[in-house]
Amino acid sequence: MVARRRLLQTAALAGGVALLPPSPAHADTSADPEGTLTDLGPASVTTPLGNGEFVGSVLYAATRGLSPNVVGAYDLTADAVTSHTDVPTGIGVWAMCRVGTDVYIGTHSRSDLYRLDTVTGALDQVGAYPYHFIWNLASSPDGKVYLAISEPGRVVEYDPATGVSRDLGVPVEGEAYVRSIAADETTIYAGVGAHAHLIAIDRATGAKRDILPAALAGRDFVASMALSETHLAGGISSNGEVLVLNKTDPADHRVLSTGEKYVTSVLIHDGYVYFAGRPSGMFYRCAIDGGAVEALGVAQPEAATHRLLVHDGRVYGVQDGAIVVFDPADRSLRYVNLVQRGFRAAPEQPMSVHSDGARVYVGGKGGADVHDLATGTSTRLGIPGEPKTALTVRGATYLGVYTQALLYRHRAGETEATLLARTGNQQDRPRDLAYDEATDLIAMTTQPEPGHLNGTLALYELRTGKFDTYRPVVERQSLYAVTCQAGVAYLGTNIQEGLGLPPVTTTARLAAFDLRGRRLRWQVEPVPGAKVIPGLAHTALAVYGITDTGVLFEYDLRRGRVTRTTKVSARGSDLHIVGRVAYTTDGNAIYKIDLITFTISTVVDGLAGEWFGGEPKLALDPSRSALFGLKGRNLVRVAISGR
């Protein structure tokens, strides 16, 4: 064995097969043979709500990301959730509206329309559509149901009287999203993005006109909407504005500013426009006929309010696992936890997984489940957002959180995570985190908000807390994977910039960013036609990456070129190097790549991991004796040998 190791090291130094540094023999730190799988139970259990609708004194609220998703009936009189109805298809519910005593429910991925008869409790599928999302639903006074669809952004009408769906077409050619919708006796209003438009569609003729005021040109979305007999209110992204517009004379309008980034929901009630902002989680209102914006309070800091409703004179906000109740009579604001009142919690589709050695963090909607490996128990770490990536440095775990590309820190034993920094620069989704010991920097890569250009590299200095953002780093691409060594951040990119924006480049790149000089050193296209490099890892002599198509490449740092490639699987994800081998997953299997011979073996198969968005993840235990991933929606530990 010793002779063989020396031979391989000599070959590497001579420009031969491998680019791995010498390493001493090490003992197997795992008691289990490689491939031994231990099921640790549900990875992330939560109750993320997407929308709600009142029928009488019962709030029907629907979940997203669960399996199956459910509509829970919260009876205000009983102060309890009295029933659940399973929604058999789709990965979540964003869209709901009411016609009489029927509640209509729109799912996404797949996009189906259901009718819940609240009298009998029967749920029937009444429509199916070949599009990615049903973002929103609205009912007209005469009982038609209108669907806001993506992608592409379009409007569909469903007639409950005939059971027929009618495609009303694309309001704005080239735009991917209809995010909000409303309808009155004569007109359908469609809120469009990723470049904001507000389209009024004549219900009789189908004629369309854009009534978005010129002052709002260049915004991202008309993301939420509400109607009264006389006015329309729209929440505008991404500058936290509210449009209040006279329906008969669109030139008669006001734009309200909040200092927020998003207005997640709006409501017109009793002469006021009510709305909810984010990131603060603040509730606001403003009189339709003028006056200043009033801040009404924050019931749950930074929480997103997905829908505002009115019942019995009070304003209700639907949040994740809870509702917020504002009473205009006494200006009180009350937080009502629906899980405590019987709303069913269930395993969700996780978004990230990370091990600090003693614990495993599984990120999802509204926070992360933290699994204690010694006791086998888990606790919920609430974070107002979605942890997309995590990293532990010197006993503290850092989490990159969507939206707004936030950086949080959590230490074991703390009940809450601490917000450290906001990336800004129109950034949305953190993609990866890495630590560089030479500079004591944490590097975070991000993807911009829908419709915006250029991802960023954000750098956090642990000693000082200084946070710097660099944009662009690689022109007209998002930054995805990152690995750091010796003062250099190696970056893997994604040709997709903000969602809804067609890519203008064709091939993902590997780039090197000097962390001391704060400049891009070089960039290459390592694999022709690759759209994303989701995983990177390094040795002293090489950077290894894997593409969205499952191609592993080796980039020789001395020669400045790709020296080898091999096809691992149909798709790529996280990449980890242990000794002389690398590990990755396609969500169904975990693969081991011998970095000397570039041969591939399967460590474990049949995982069928149910990741949110289908993006598989893989975490390496600091002991380097185990990996963590998903089997279905359960967290699993897989023993590895690292040889």
Side-chain angles (χ1 to χ4, degrees):
M1 178 64 74
V2 174
R4 180 178 180 270
R5 183 178 298 116
R6 287 175 180 165
L7 175 62
L8 292 173
Q9 291 168 4
T10 302
L13 292 172
V17 178
L19 294 168
L20 297 164
S23 62
H26 63 279
D28 186 358
T29 58
S30 172
D32 298 320
E34 183 161 80
T36 301
L37 186 147
T38 305
D39 192 319
L40 302 177
S44 181
V45 177
T46 187
T47 309
L49 301 180
N51 208 317
E53 190 67 65
F54 271 108
V55 178
S57 61
V58 178
L59 173 69
Y60 293 88
T63 65
R64 63 194 206 280
L66 305 186
S67 181
N69 287 289
V70 300
V71 178
Y74 172 59
D75 187 320
L76 270 64
T77 303
D79 192 25
V81 176
T82 56
S83 68
H84 293 88
T85 302
D86 290 350
V87 180
T89 61
I91 65 170
V93 175
W94 280 118
M96 298 177 77
C97 74
R98 179 175 63 87
V99 177
T101 58
D102 292 337
V103 173
Y104 286 86
I105 301 153
T107 67
H108 57 271
S109 301
R110 34 185 279 195
S111 292
D112 294 328
L113 182 65
Y114 289 90
R115 178 181 61 238
L116 174 62
D117 184 329
T118 64
V119 177
T120 67
L123 181 76
D124 296 304
Q125 184 177 339
V126 296
Y129 310 93
Y131 308 110
H132 192 194
F133 281 91
I134 300 175
W135 274 112
N136 220 321
L137 295 176
S139 58
S140 62
D142 58 343
K144 299 278 198 318
V145 175
Y146 292 94
L147 289 70
I149 296 282
S150 304
E151 298 108 356
R154 65 194 316 113
V155 175
V156 172
E157 176 190 83
Y158 172 76
D159 187 346
T162 63
V164 174
S165 293
R166 184 165 64 105
D167 193 332
L168 302 183
V170 175
V172 180
E173 291 293 339
E175 293 297 341
Y177 303 96
V178 176
R179 286 289 295 267
S180 57
I181 198 160
D184 59 21
E185 293 84 350
T186 62
T187 308
I188 306 159
Y189 298 92
V192 174
H195 303 95
H197 299 270
L198 176 57
I199 306 300
I201 306 171
D202 189 293
R203 290 182 60 190
T205 67
K208 302 178 179 69
R209 59 194 178 105
D210 194 338
I211 59 173
L212 187 73
L216 296 175
R219 303 300 193 266
D220 299 341
F221 288 96
V222 180
S224 52
M225 200 185 307
L227 293 182
S228 69
E229 290 186 1
T230 58
H231 285 80
L232 176 152
I236 311 297
S237 295
S238 293
N239 288 354
E241 297 157 309
V242 177
L243 169 66
V244 183
L245 179 146
N246 186 325
K247 293 195 297 183
T248 60
D249 180 14
D252 177 13
H253 66 266
R254 288 193 299 151
V255 177
L256 311 177
S257 298
T258 64
E260 304 278 2
K261 192 161 183 64
Y262 306 108
V263 172
T264 57
S265 50
V266 292
L267 171 74
I268 300 177
H269 168 60
D270 196 25
Y272 287 92
V273 178
Y274 289 85
F275 49 99
R278 205 173 179 208
S280 74
M282 179 70 72
F283 277 68
Y284 301 90
R285 73 175 182 180
C286 184
I288 288 177
D289 58 4
V293 173
E294 300 177 66
L296 303 177
V298 177
Q300 185 76 344
E302 299 188 47
T305 301
H306 307 300
R307 181 79 182 273
L308 286 173
L309 299 160
V310 65
H311 174 71
D312 196 24
R314 297 180 180 89
V315 175
Y316 289 76
V318 178
Q319 298 184 345
D320 280 345
I323 56 173
V324 179
V325 187
F326 175 75
D327 190 338
D330 60 8
R331 296 177 64 91
S332 63
L333 191 65
R334 187 164 57 97
Y335 183 81
V336 180
N337 187 312
L338 294 185
V339 178
Q340 294 175 351
R341 287 159 174 80
F343 207 110
R344 183 193 303 170
E348 66 172 327
Q349 292 178 314
M351 303 181 191
S352 60
V353 60
H354 167 73
S355 172
D356 70 0
R359 289 156 290 273
V360 178
Y361 290 75
V362 181
K365 297 177 177 67
D369 271 22
V370 184
H371 296 254
D372 187 308
L373 295 173
T375 65
T377 59
S378 64
T379 56
R380 187 72 178 177
L381 176 65
I383 298 175
E386 300 171 357
K388 298 289 191 183
T389 180
L391 169 76
T392 298
V393 181
R394 295 199 291 273
T397 296
Y398 298 84
L399 303 104
V401 175
Y402 166 91
T403 60
Q404 299 187 85
L406 307 176
L407 183 66
Y408 276 81
R409 182 186 62 219
H410 180 252
R411 291 189 173 95
E414 294 178 341
T415 58
E416 297 181 351
T418 301
L419 176 61
L420 299 177
R422 306 176 191 272
T423 300
N425 284 270
Q426 300 168 318
Q427 299 300 294
D428 211 6
R429 287 172 169 81
R431 287 305 191 183
D432 202 4
L433 287 166
Y435 173 67
D436 180 58
E437 188 173 0
T439 58
D440 201 31
L441 292 172
I442 289 176
M444 182 168 73
T445 53
T446 69
Q447 182 175 7
E449 295 172 352
H452 286 279
L453 313 179
N454 291 318
T456 72
L457 177 64
L459 301 177
Y460 178 77
E461 187 174 329
L462 272 72
R463 185 178 61 83
T464 65
K466 186 180 180 187
F467 190 78
D468 296 313
T469 301
Y470 296 88
R471 176 193 188 209
V473 175
V474 177
E475 285 275 4
R476 299 309 304 270
Q477 295 193 351
S478 296
L479 302 187
Y480 208 104
V482 58
T483 188
C484 297
Q485 74 160 331
V488 179
Y490 297 98
L491 308 165
T493 71
N494 183 348
I495 66 169
Q496 177 65 61
E497 299 172 273
L499 300 180
L501 192 68
V504 298
T505 59
T506 60
T507 305
R509 298 172 193 168
L510 173 67
F513 186 88
D514 186 329
L515 293 172
R516 293 187 177 92
R518 305 292 175 97
R519 62 181 181 85
L520 187 67
R521 284 185 178 179
W522 50 258
Q523 56 182 305
V524 297
E525 295 180 348
V527 178
K531 294 179 172 58
V532 189
I533 299 174
L536 286 177
H538 69 270
T539 66
L541 303 175
V543 174
Y544 294 85
I546 193 162
T547 69
D548 58 312
T549 54
V551 174
L552 182 81
F553 64 86
E554 174 187 76
Y555 182 85
D556 186 327
L557 290 170
R558 298 168 304 166
R559 295 172 180 165
R561 62 180 178 86
V562 172
T563 46
R564 293 186 295 174
T565 63
T566 188
K567 179 79 168 178
V568 177
S569 61
R571 64 188 307 181
S573 69
D574 295 335
L575 186 68
H576 301 287
I577 292 177
V578 180
R580 301 181 181 281
V581 299
Y583 294 92
T584 189
T585 183
D586 60 5
N588 191 55
I590 294 175
Y591 301 97
K592 179 178 183 177
I593 307 102
D594 187 315
L595 296 178
I596 303 298
T597 63
F598 252 43
T599 54
I600 301 152
S601 58
T602 300
V603 177
V604 66
D605 205 348
L607 296 177
E610 296 183 24
W611 295 97
F612 180 80
E615 242 181 38
K617 300 292 182 181
L618 192 66
L620 176 65
D621 189 90
S623 70
R624 305 170 79 78
S625 64
L627 298 165
F628 294 93
L630 290 186
K631 183 176 176 62
R633 298 193 179 197
N634 279 13
L635 178 66
V636 293
R637 178 189 186 275
V638 178
I640 58 173
S641 67
R643 295 194 182 94

